[in-house]
Amino acid sequence: MSFPEPKPRGPVLPQKRLKTLDCGQGAVRAVRFNVDGNYCLTCGSDKTLKLWNPLRGTLLRTYSGHGYEVLDAAGSFDNSNLCSCGGDKAVVLWDVASGQVVRKFRGHAGKVNTVQFNEEATVILSGSIDSTIRCWDCRSRRPDPVQKLDEAKDGVSSVKVSDHEVLAGSVDGRVRRYDLRMGQLFSDYVGSPITCTCFSRDGQCTLVSSLDSTLRLLDKDTGELLGEYTGHKNQEYKLDCCLSERDTHVVSCSEDGKVFFWDLVEGVLALALQVGPGVVQSLAYHPTEPCLLTAMGGSIHCWREEAYETEGGTG
């Protein structure tokens, strides 16, 4: 007689605050996990970028070289490099181990909101208030971008990259998807200024948040509206949204001090997580586990599921 297979665990949400880190870098503009979720980056209004182990609460390194506040950052697939961008209109490539600036790319005409590596970390893509996305070759000494995407009619707020696609959200109310294999551009009109876009983990859908306090789930290929998620507040700020590690929930920051989780299929609110009294500026979701990072004011918070026990047995 064979025993039945254990039932797969249902999705659990991170709602237990494990750690609060005072980052000591002014207001934290963005928090980002690295590729495997073991480390995180915080972008400060004091011009610094910091690398942390969020579960331990330890600062590993500080990266100084921006001339104004840092607005976004990303790690390479092999953890050897970082890229960042900010209010100084610059895009910076860093060496993780030494903390040194490898390259500083200039060319944007205004602050740079968002930055991403391609999969091989050979190209950095940056989106700016100047309405362009620029692609910078990490290995070249050339000062100009290898490509400039200038279809947006207003500032670019969000850029995400898959193996052959670039997804971009703009204040002009359009989400654009560039298929690099086919050389095609697909555009969907949302109508309200877009604050954040991302791919679902399975690559089938795109999630779009906008300043009408609504998130929309779109079929990536057809642009069909699959779901709408409301209840949070997003009317002024560029706030992050994402999908949980198994695509079961839609997750968003809110201007009322909470993080909202909705069931992706049902569209109903599953959890409104109280973070604090201010605006939840940024969030990051672990790539494989129910672990969430939130940024508010000068601090970040690390959240896990209720059943999670730290190595010492205490929260």
Side-chain angles (χ1 to χ4, degrees):
M1 173 184 143
S2 63
F3 289 100
E5 288 288 315
K7 217 168 113 184
R9 158 175 87 79
V12 290
L13 299 177
Q15 49 189 308
K16 175 167 144 182
R17 192 187 310 236
L18 276 195
K19 276 269 186 302
T20 298
L21 305 183
D22 180 6
C23 298
Q25 54 182 155
V28 177
R29 296 299 183 208
V31 60
R32 302 287 179 248
F33 271 115
N34 76 322
V35 64
D36 55 18
N38 292 329
Y39 305 102
C40 75
L41 296 160
T42 55
C43 303
S45 65
D46 73 343
K47 314 177 195 174
T48 66
L49 178 65
K50 292 188 177 184
L51 178 67
W52 307 82
N53 179 322
L55 279 176
R56 289 219 172 108
T58 48
L59 174 64
L60 302 172
R61 195 173 277 283
T62 300
Y63 301 85
S64 302
H66 273 286
Y68 206 64
E69 60 182 2
V70 186
L71 296 174
D72 195 15
S76 63
F77 74 97
D78 60 359
N79 291 322
S80 64
N81 292 108
L82 307 173
C83 61
S84 62
C85 64
D88 58 0
K89 310 178 194 174
V91 176
V92 180
L93 174 66
W94 307 85
D95 180 72
V96 168
S98 70
Q100 298 300 305
V101 173
V102 179
R103 295 287 311 278
K104 197 174 270 196
F105 301 102
R106 298 190 182 279
H108 279 296
K111 73 175 183 177
V112 187
N113 289 319
T114 178
V115 72
Q116 288 271 294
F117 280 110
N118 68 337
E119 284 211 327
E120 299 82 33
T122 53
V123 175
I124 298 170
L125 292 94
S126 56
S128 165
I129 199 172
D130 71 5
S131 309
T132 70
I133 299 166
R134 296 177 195 230
C135 309
W136 312 92
D137 187 340
C138 298
R139 300 169 299 184
S140 160
R141 306 306 301 177
R142 286 176 52 197
D144 45 333
V146 290
Q147 195 170 5
K148 184 166 128 188
L149 307 173
D150 55 7
E151 285 75 17
K153 305 290 184 285
D154 206 330
V156 177
S157 57
S158 179
V159 172
K160 295 294 191 310
V161 185
S162 75
D163 60 344
H164 66 284
E165 296 166 305
V166 176
L167 185 69
S170 170
V171 180
D172 69 8
R174 284 191 177 273
V175 56
R176 293 173 175 85
R177 181 169 59 89
Y178 299 85
D179 187 318
L180 305 177
R181 277 186 199 150
M182 308 290 286
Q184 287 178 301
L185 168 62
F186 303 91
S187 174
D188 290 301
Y189 186 60
V190 168
S192 177
I194 291 169
T195 57
C196 187
T197 56
C198 61
F199 292 106
S200 59
R201 310 239 174 205
D202 66 7
Q204 302 297 304
C205 307
T206 56
L207 182 65
V208 182
S209 70
S210 49
L211 288 182
D212 56 357
S213 297
T214 305
L215 286 95
R216 293 170 176 87
L217 188 71
L218 307 177
D219 182 289
K220 190 184 78 177
D221 293 324
T222 66
E224 180 191 353
L225 181 64
L226 302 175
E228 284 192 326
Y229 310 89
T230 56
H232 66 302
K233 185 179 175 202
N234 186 9
Q235 296 168 331
E236 305 180 58
Y237 296 98
K238 175 177 138 42
L239 301 184
D240 292 329
C241 65
C242 67
L243 291 152
S244 61
E245 86 281 10
R246 288 156 62 186
D247 277 348
T248 57
H249 288 80
V250 169
V251 189
S252 176
C253 295
S254 181
E255 290 162 12
D256 61 5
K258 301 187 184 89
V259 170
F260 283 71
F261 296 79
W262 296 267
D263 183 287
L264 177 123
V265 177
E266 304 289 332
V268 296
L269 184 65
L271 173 67
L273 181 69
Q274 186 70 51
V275 177
V279 175
V280 185
Q281 284 279 10
S282 180
L283 60 76
Y285 214 100
H286 193 285
T288 56
E289 294 176 26
C291 177
L292 174 75
L293 299 176
T294 56
M296 178 179 284
S299 303
I300 62 167
H301 310 283
C302 181
W303 307 80
R304 291 289 313 222
E305 70 275 22
E306 285 289 0
Y308 182 82
E309 293 292 331
T310 53
E311 279 147 24
T314 55

